[in-house]
């Protein structure tokens, strides 16, 4: 019986390795989502690549401010003005759905930024560095 292999141990080892791989891929995905969402080289709203001298993605998320292309910045400023003053706009697409779109985007962006500053996200980043 000494030549009989214990398949249970091999299966458990394979299962642990698979779980570790899945966990590692999830951690990488979370880090990529945060890093790409906060990338200073592209518009935070539409994703348009901004003209910057360094084309590499930053490893550290930017400050609380976000980069917008000229078109999105103009739309965002309109959104802020309409939100503050509770008034309408002469632009036909500046309707309640448009306001909801910008409100949802702003909440999403703030949530990503807050998550990137959380202790748990920093631990994930350290886990990937190890």
């Amino acid at each position: 019986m000494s030549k009989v292999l214990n398949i249970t141990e091999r299966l458990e080892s394979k299962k642990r390795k698979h779980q570790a791989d899945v966990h590692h891929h999830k951690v990488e995905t979370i880090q990529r989502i945060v890093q790409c969402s906060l990338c200073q080289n592209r518009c935070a709203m539409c994703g348009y690549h901004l003209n910057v001298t360094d084309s590499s993605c930053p490893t550290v998320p930017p400050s609380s401010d976000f980069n917008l292309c000229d078109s999105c910045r103009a739309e965002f400023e309109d959104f802020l003005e309409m939100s503050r003053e509770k008034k309408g706009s002469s632009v036909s697409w500046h309707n309640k759905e448009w306001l909801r779109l910008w409100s949802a985007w702003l909440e999403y962006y703030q949530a990503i930024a807050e998550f990137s500053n959380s202790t748990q996200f920093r631990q994930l980043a350290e886990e990937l560095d190890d």
Side-chain angles (χ1 to χ4, degrees):
M1 286 305 254
S2 64
K3 292 187 178 191
V4 175
L5 296 175
N6 186 349
I7 193 142
T8 305
E9 287 180 27
R10 291 178 111 180
L11 289 173
E12 286 297 318
S13 174
K14 187 175 181 179
K15 183 178 175 181
R16 280 191 302 275
K17 183 183 180 329
H18 176 72
Q19 288 173 336
D21 288 344
V22 167
H23 177 75
H24 183 75
H25 289 298
K26 286 181 179 182
V27 169
E28 283 180 330
T29 300
I30 293 294
Q31 186 178 39
R32 225 178 10 260
I33 288 169
V34 171
Q35 185 177 18
C36 293
S37 294
L38 300 177
C39 182
Q40 291 189 341
N41 295 336
R42 64 180 193 85
C43 175
M45 177 60 166
C46 71
Y48 178 77
H49 188 8
L50 302 173
N51 291 330
V52 292
T53 56
D54 182 18
S55 63
S56 64
C57 288
T59 55
V60 178
S63 64
S64 60
D65 196 19
F66 39 81
N67 291 332
L68 294 170
C69 65
D70 292 339
S71 298
C72 290
R73 175 135 339 254
E75 288 289 300
F76 184 63
E77 288 170 0
D78 289 347
F79 162 74
L80 290 176
E81 184 178 322
M82 287 177 66
S83 297
R84 283 188 209 121
E85 298 178 14
K86 303 289 185 201
K87 67 173 191 163
S89 171
S90 61
V91 180
S92 63
W93 65 84
H94 289 183
N95 56 20
K96 66 179 182 180
E97 291 82 11
W98 178 86
L99 285 169
R100 277 191 21 230
L101 168 84
W102 277 98
S103 294
W105 173 81
L106 188 57
E107 286 181 34
Y108 167 78
Y109 194 86
Q110 289 170 337
I112 289 279
E114 288 171 11
F115 179 67
S116 73
N117 291 322
S118 71
T119 304
Q120 293 79 7
F121 178 75
R122 289 187 182 135
Q123 290 171 344
L124 282 177
E126 289 174 8
E127 184 177 318
L128 271 182
D129 289 343
D130 292 343

